[in-house]
Amino acid sequence: MFDDPPKQDDDMRNWFLYFRMTKHLPGMPMKFEAEMKRAKTAPRAKMVLTAYAAAALDVVFFCGFRPNGELSKELQETFGLKPAQMMMLSVHDIAAPLKVGADKVTERLTEGGFTVSPSGIITGFEAPAEIRRPHAGRTFKFNS
């Protein structure tokens, strides 16, 4: 059984803490899925998604083990958070509960392949070259 979610839908800090203070890391995605099913309005869904993205980024930024170029892979494998879910979120809203500047969040996201508009909205994603999958049918030669 999970702890109770925040009572006020517009309280970003409490939503962040609700996800971030989960004692068992796999519980974070389970909480997120449960709360998204309960989201009856677009503002509530966006608040939950933004807080969850901030909590996931907090773990990855401060505890992650992969290079920055593999940010999307780590988010997806650990938290089930796909790059498409990050689209249209504000780096300013994500940065607030992290207690780091939006410029630092933008820098890390950009290194991970995300595109951030000048106004601070995540607008795109392209996997960095070093983690892109090879095209189908392409063969590689190994030196023997």
Side-chain angles (χ1 to χ4, degrees):
M1 185 75 171
F2 295 126
D3 48 328
D4 292 330
K7 300 207 184 314
Q8 295 178 329
D9 286 344
D10 61 346
D11 189 344
M12 172 65 79
R13 180 85 179 141
N14 282 339
W15 276 108
F16 169 79
L17 292 173
Y18 172 69
F19 292 119
R20 184 62 182 93
M21 295 302 156
T22 305
K23 290 177 179 61
H24 184 58
L25 196 60
M28 285 177 67
M30 293 179 351
K31 278 183 170 180
F32 173 66
E33 289 174 25
E35 290 308 317
M36 287 303 283
K37 287 178 184 174
R38 290 187 201 126
K40 303 289 185 213
T41 64
R44 184 172 196 270
K46 186 176 180 184
M47 177 65 64
V48 168
L49 178 57
T50 302
Y52 182 67
L57 287 170
D58 186 51
V59 172
V60 170
F61 287 173
F62 299 108
C63 306
F65 299 104
R66 295 185 183 192
N68 286 339
E70 295 186 20
L71 174 64
S72 66
K73 191 173 184 179
E74 190 163 12
L75 288 172
Q76 191 162 343
E77 289 177 2
T78 307
F79 300 100
L81 191 58
K82 298 175 184 172
Q85 292 173 292
M86 302 280 287
M87 294 306 122
M88 303 310 294
L89 296 182
S90 165
V91 294
H92 300 285
D93 292 343
I94 291 170
L98 294 177
K99 296 186 179 179
V100 298
D103 57 335
K104 191 66 171 170
V105 174
T106 298
E107 178 184 326
R108 295 290 299 270
L109 287 171
T110 302
E111 290 172 359
F114 289 90
T115 304
V116 179
S117 73
S119 63
I121 303 298
I122 301 169
T123 58
F125 175 77
E126 185 173 333
E130 63 269 11
I131 65 166
R132 288 188 195 141
R133 293 183 184 155
H135 295 297
R138 183 182 268 177
T139 58
F140 296 93
K141 294 181 182 180
F142 296 97
N143 296 331
S144 42

